[in-house]
Amino acid sequence: MPALTPEQRSVIPNFWTLLDLSTGHLKPQDFKLLAEYRGPNSSGRDWDEGQSLYVTPLAHGWLISTSGATACPQIGELADESARVDREDRVAAMREEGFSDEFVAIYVFACENGVADIRFDADASYLPGFPAFDPVTGDRVEEEEEEQPLPLPGL
């Protein structure tokens, strides 16, 4: 079977999208809150019922599900309206929990663009258009220049 175009993939519910970005986008308050999440237990149920996010701790960051709050244009307007309402409720809970406005902006951006999961990883790249912060002071920092890949011989 030939590769699908992005338009073809967008109408097939089996495809999963991941936004992979640096933990450098997190403020100290976000680090602290995410560190309190324990993720799913051995039976797959979330230990953290009552908190605003579905979070799985990883070795160098966190995986955050946008489940229920993601825009899905292929499902129809009614489902998209339901996702918008769930997203608004979840954002309000995130703000009440103490997540930074910058963290919330990344979450909303992901939801509005059909992203299923957000992975904050210490080794991931910065997401253009979103600020980066010093993890200790919370001061805004300039994103590091990405290293240019080495040219491969013969290409």
Side-chain angles (χ1 to χ4, degrees), residues 10-74:
S10 73
V11 297
I12 300 173
N14 306 63
F15 282 88
W16 168 73
T17 55
L18 171 76
L19 178 60
D20 187 33
L21 65 159
S22 173
T23 54
H25 289 293
L26 300 173
K27 286 187 156 184
Q29 71 204 60
D30 303 320
F31 272 101
K32 183 178 184 280
L33 289 166
L34 289 170
E36 293 173 0
Y37 280 85
R38 297 173 292 163
N41 62 23
S42 60
S43 66
R45 292 189 47 94
D46 195 351
W47 284 107
D48 304 308
E49 290 184 37
Q51 290 181 300
S52 61
L53 296 170
Y54 301 110
V55 176
T56 301
L58 303 172
H60 302 285
W62 297 272
L63 184 69
I64 301 165
S65 173
T66 63
S67 177
T70 305
C72 293
Q74 71 268 26

Side-chain angles (χ1 to χ4, degrees), residues 60-90:
H60 302 285
W62 297 272
L63 184 69
I64 301 165
S65 173
T66 63
S67 177
T70 305
C72 293
Q74 71 268 26
I75 296 175
E77 290 181 30
L78 185 60
D80 196 43
E81 177 63 14
S82 173
R84 186 190 62 75
V85 170
D86 186 47
R87 183 168 54 247
E88 289 174 359
D89 291 346
R90 196 166 303 170

Side-chain angles (χ1 to χ4, degrees), residues 109-123:
F109 171 81
C111 290
E112 289 176 348
N113 286 283
V115 172
D117 288 304
I118 306 165
R119 183 178 79 154
F120 285 99
D121 187 89
D123 295 326

